[in-house]
């Protein structure tokens, strides 16, 4: 260490500081007071003027003048005084000029760096001490380890812990607690437990550290077991202990246990502690008992902002958004300040409600309070606007975030993906990679869902490749998303490989995704096989499992099998049928033409039928041309939902099937009067990594002339093979020739023609359509697959159709 060679230099640097006459008299009289040793008189002065840097510098000059600058005890106090005032340069000058600083002086300097958040300097001083062979103690290691934790410097932290263990310091309970917290923070709970178990003396801080670690790790049962052991060991819990305990109860979601904890903390006399009561209210909110949480909140003798935030956040988490806003109003009227945490909760609540107006009001609050620089708040605003469908505003806020992290990027990506802008989401993902931001699981799952939505297999595979390349853990959420993506992109074999690569999984959602995938492709028998495998492996099906199974049976014409499963659900698994289950069963019967049975089932339902059930029956009536029943069903639907354009369209189609054109005109006029529009049909096709969108009758595509010429050539070839157009699909009062022209303008035909023009001969064609494919387009696609010798996969609103050599996998049943 550098030693002091010319103490006059320090004196010169501080002796020029102006000193008030009162201060000078105080210092002079104190120094001359013979009743106190001079060192203690200076220590007393340092404490008295601890908040005034000029006074501390003046006292320091007097210490030098009185030749006391080498007294280790006094030097330690001077270093601490400078550090406490943030004057680290002065503190370091004093430190560097001590010839052989003892461990207390060294720890004081390290402590000064740490308290002033100079974490790199803290670690550097530790390593310098080690390199010079100077002794370190548990306090030295604790400071250095905490600095590593603050910097997320895992490697340096492990070196410090290893050094501490080698020097026999790890048995110290203060250092032990810090080691446990460090290991927990970076996910090594098993090593943290080993450190805890080896501590010879464990105080409540050590117990809190390891119990809190298990809570952070999601192992709530182990946390509760350890808390019980702590009590059995005679350790009295603190307020922090109780706060951790309530977190564990909230994580488990056991209301009875939570109430027991409530009684226990009252018996400890903590029933009026604000930290304990706040954590208790938060626990009730996490369990879902917001009424009990509010009672705890209302009985608090005093409240701080953390208490208000916990209750507002709890309301939002439980879907009671309006209660959260009312509590916020009370907070503002009480004159209390709010912070970014308050605003973020309210923004999340507005996003739940898709309330753009509320969001804009909150955005105004943020701007007036100057909170827009807080990236968490800005990210919540991006998320809100995206969920409300206003991507322009979301993008505007996102572009102004200066320090965007993975959460900010993910919010914008999810917004684009959820609003059907998969192309923009993928472009933004590329920009994110260029800026060096590493995607997390949420980002990647959102991208996978976006690829599934537009049927972009290449982009979906590229995200899958990113997961493998960066060795991101394939958890069950990720596997489920990949299975869904591959199934919706028509690669059921790839979906099955992802499913089969799982370890033994009890996550029913993963199994449901595979059943749903088979159902989409009309492979009902294999969907039932997966269900049977579930039973063999002891996995309990849920309501969604049976919805997926009924849907699979419906698309495959497995009526009897579906009816049997309906009975099994109720009798063997005690799952009461919901409206969705009845809707699936009505759909199953209606597709098979058993419309009277479907209507009878509706009449036997234990509750009034809703939209989903009646829409399933109406769809069957349209397919099987049961006009009377269809009109009757449509009328019932309109009494439930008079603003659903889909119902008007089907009702109009029903009248058109019966040739009742006056009624068709009336229904369409009613739609116009109510401002309702029919959903335009479109088809998506991915070529050379770009997704092309085709609308019915669209001539805006750059290659539209070539596309229509290709379709004309195909029509001529098809007619030689016996094709005759089924114009009953055109529900318009126009002549036959116009109906044929309208048929040949359907979006999937435009997409197929473009694919034949722009893709290699013999390659697979994949098309995604937003509406149900009509019977004539289905016939045409079978012909094209034979003429062009191409396999064509079409995903419509209901299911997948695999066309090959003039045949379709659905067997003309859809």
């Amino acid at each position: 260490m550098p030693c002091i060679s010319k103490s006059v230099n320090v004196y010169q640097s501080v002796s020029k500081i102006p000193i008030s006459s009162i201060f000078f008299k105080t210092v002079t009289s104190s120094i001359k007071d013979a009743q106190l040793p001079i060192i203690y008189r200076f220590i007393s002065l340092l404490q008295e003027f601890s908040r005034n840097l000029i006074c501390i510098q003046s006292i320091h000059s007097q210490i030098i003048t009185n030749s006391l600058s080498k007294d280790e005890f006094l030097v330690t106090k001077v270093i601490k005084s400078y550090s406490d005032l943030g004057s680290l340069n002065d503190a370091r000058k004093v430190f560097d000029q001590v010839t052989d600083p003892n461990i207390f002086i060294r720890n004081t300097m390290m402590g000064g760096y740490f308290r002033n958040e100079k974490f790199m300097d803290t670690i550097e001083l530790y390593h310098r001490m080690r390199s010079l062979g100077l002794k370190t103690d548990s306090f030295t290691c604790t400071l250095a380890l905490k600095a590593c934790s603050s910097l997320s410097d895992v490697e340096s932290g492990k070196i410090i812990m290893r050094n501490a263990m080698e020097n026999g310091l790890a048995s110290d309970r203060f250092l032990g607690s810090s080691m446990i917290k460090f290991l927990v923070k970076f996910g090594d709970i098993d090593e943290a437990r080993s450190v805890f178990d080896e501590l010879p003396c464990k105080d409540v801080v050590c117990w809190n550290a390891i119990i809190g670690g298990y809570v952070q790790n999601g192992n709530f049962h182990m946390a509760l077991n350890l808390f019980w052991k702590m009590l059995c060991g005679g350790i009295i819990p603190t307020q922090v202990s109780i706060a951790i305990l309530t977190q564990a109860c909230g994580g488990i979601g056991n209301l009875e246990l939570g109430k027991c904890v409530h009684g226990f903390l009252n018996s400890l006399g903590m029933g009026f502690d604000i930290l304990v009561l706040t954590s208790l209210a938060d626990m009730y909110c996490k369990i879902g008992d917001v009424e009990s949480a509010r009672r705890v909140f209302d009985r608090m003798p005093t409240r701080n902002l953390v208490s208000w935030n916990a209750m507002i956040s709890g309301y939002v988490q439980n879907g009671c958004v309006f209660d959260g806003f009312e509590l916020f109003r009370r907070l503002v009227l009480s004159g209390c300040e709010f912070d970014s945490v308050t605003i973020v909760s309210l923004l999340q609540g507005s996003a739940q409600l898709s309330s753009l107006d509320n969001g804009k009001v909150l955005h105004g609050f943020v701007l007036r309070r100057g909170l827009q620089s807080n990236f968490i708040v800005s990210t919540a605003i991006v998320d809100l606007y995206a969920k409300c469908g206003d991507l322009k505003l979301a993008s505007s806020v996102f572009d102004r975030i200066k320090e965007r992290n993975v959460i900010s990027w993910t919010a914008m990506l999810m917004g684009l993906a959820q609003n059907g802008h998969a192309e923009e989401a993928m472009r933004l993902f590329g920009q994110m990679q260029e800026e060096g931001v590493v995607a997390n699981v949420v980002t990647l799952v959102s991208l996978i869902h976006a690829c599934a939505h537009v049927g972009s297999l290449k982009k979906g595979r590229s995200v899958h490749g990113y997961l493998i390349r960066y060795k991101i853990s394939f958890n069950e959420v990720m596997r489920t998303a990949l299975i869904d993506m591959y199934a919706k992109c028509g690669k059921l074999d790839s979906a099955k490989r992802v499913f089969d690569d799982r370890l033994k999984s009890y996550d029913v959602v993963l199994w449901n995704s595979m059943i749903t995938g088979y159902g989409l492709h009309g492979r009902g028998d294999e969907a039932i096989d997966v269900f049977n495998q579930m039973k063999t492996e002891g996995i309990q099906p849920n309501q969604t499992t049976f919805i997926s199974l009924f849907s699979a049976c419906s698309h495959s014409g497995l009526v009897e099998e579906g009816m049997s499963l309906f009975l099994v659900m109720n009798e063997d698994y005690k799952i009461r049928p919901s409206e969705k289950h009845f809707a699936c069963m009505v759909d199953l019967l209606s597709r098979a033409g058993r419309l009277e049975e479907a209507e009878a089932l509706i009449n036997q339902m234990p509750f009034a039928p809703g939209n989903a059930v009646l829409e399933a029956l109406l769809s069957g009536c349209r397919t099987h041309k049961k006009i009377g029943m269809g009109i009757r069903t449509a009328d019932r639907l309109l009494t439930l939902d008079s603003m659903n354009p889909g119902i008007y369209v089907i009702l109009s189609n029903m009248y058109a099937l019966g040739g009742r054109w006056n009624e068709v005109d009336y229904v369409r006029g009613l739609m116009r009067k109510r401002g309702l529009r029919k959903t335009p049909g479109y088809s998506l096709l991915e070529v050379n990594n770009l997704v092309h969108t085709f609308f019915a009758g669209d001539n805006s595509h750059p290659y539209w002339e070539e596309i229509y010429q290709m379709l004309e050539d195909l029509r001529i070839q098809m007619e030689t093979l016996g094709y005759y157009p089924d114009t009953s699909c055109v529900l318009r009062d126009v002549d036959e020739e116009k109906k044929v022209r309208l048929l040949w303008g359907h979006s999937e035909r435009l997409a197929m023609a473009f694919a034949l023009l722009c893709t290699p001969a013999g390659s697979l064609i994949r098309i995604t359509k937003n509406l149900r494919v009509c019977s004539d387009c289905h016939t045409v696609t079978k012909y094209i697959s034979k003429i062009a010798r191409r396999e064509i996969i079409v995903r419509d609103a209901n299911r997948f159709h695999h066309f090959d050599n003039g045949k379709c996998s659905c067997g003309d049943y859809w």
Side-chain angles (χ1 to χ4, degrees), residues 732-751:
R732 304 255 309 259
D733 188 16
V734 294
D735 60 45
E736 199 70 12
E737 186 180 342
K738 180 69 180 291
K739 287 183 178 181
V740 172
R741 284 202 303 272
L742 288 170
L743 280 174
W744 281 93
H746 282 193
S747 63
E748 59 265 55
R749 303 192 196 195
L750 303 179

Side-chain angles (χ1 to χ4, degrees), residues 481-545:
L482 285 170
I483 291 167
D484 178 68
M485 182 272 293
Y486 280 123
K488 286 179 177 174
C489 290
K491 287 293 289 181
L492 203 52
D493 53 342
S494 296
K496 184 68 165 60
R497 276 197 296 273
V498 174
F499 178 74
D500 288 341
D501 283 345
R502 75 196 186 284
L503 298 171
K504 187 174 178 63
S505 172
Y506 289 92
D507 183 6
V508 69
V509 179
L510 186 72
W511 290 80
N512 290 349
S513 66
M514 196 65 242
I515 293 172
T516 303
Y518 278 127
L520 277 172
H521 290 263
R523 291 161 67 170
D525 288 325
E526 285 155 287
I528 294 171
D529 287 343
V530 174
F531 174 66
N532 291 330
Q533 190 181 346
M534 279 179 70
K535 292 194 291 183
T536 302
E537 296 195 19
I539 296 156
Q540 191 75 7
N542 61 12
Q543 290 194 344
T544 306
T545 311

Side-chain angles (χ1 to χ4, degrees), residues 328 338 343 347 356-372 377 381 384-385 393 397 400:
F328 175 65
F338 57 86
I343 292 294
L347 286 166
L356 188 59
D357 291 337
N358 269 352
K360 287 179 176 178
V361 170
L362 290 169
H363 195 176
F365 268 118
V366 168
L367 294 173
R368 286 194 293 276
R369 293 297 180 97
L371 296 172
Q372 66 272 20
V377 172
I381 294 171
L384 164 74
Y385 285 141
L393 276 175
V397 176
R400 288 198 295 269

Side-chain angles (χ1 to χ4, degrees), residues 103 139 417 430 646:
I103 195 164
F139 186 68

